[in-house]
Amino acid sequence: MHDSLPMQAALAPGFVEQAWPSLLEQAMHPLRRRGEAISTVLVCGCGDSYFAALGAEFGLRLWTGRQVRAASSMLAGRYLL
């Protein structure tokens, strides 16, 4: 049986390097269009997406200069929006 995890781990840095500029542009685009009207960014998800939101929270705060909050989809939908 072939274990693909080591292969995926070896390919991850190249993928992040290639995908990062586009992802950063997508995150910054709404902030550029609306200027200072956006004061807080809410990132949410369910399951693995929630953990991705938690992982992105600090970086997004650093790169956007805005308050950023990570939350589960249920919490965001019921109480934060």
Side-chain angles (χ1 to χ4, degrees):
M1 181 188 247
H2 189 281
D3 183 7
S4 65
L5 188 57
M7 191 181 311
Q8 291 175 24
L11 293 172
F15 172 76
V16 170
E17 181 180 9
Q18 180 250 337
W20 182 247
S22 173
L23 294 172
L24 183 58
E25 176 57 33
Q26 289 176 44
M28 294 297 291
H29 182 72
L31 296 175
R32 286 191 196 104
R33 280 189 34 220
R34 297 186 183 238
E36 296 301 314
I38 298 174
S39 61
T40 304
V41 177
L42 174 63
V43 255
C44 60
C46 181
D48 288 347
S49 298
Y50 169 62
F51 290 106
L54 285 173
E57 184 177 18
F58 177 75
L60 288 172
R61 184 179 304 131
L62 179 69
W63 294 311
T64 64
R66 306 299 199 281
Q67 292 181 348
V68 178
R69 174 145 186 212
S72 69
S73 297
M74 185 178 291
L75 178 69
R78 287 187 175 176
Y79 304 108
L80 301 178
L81 291 179

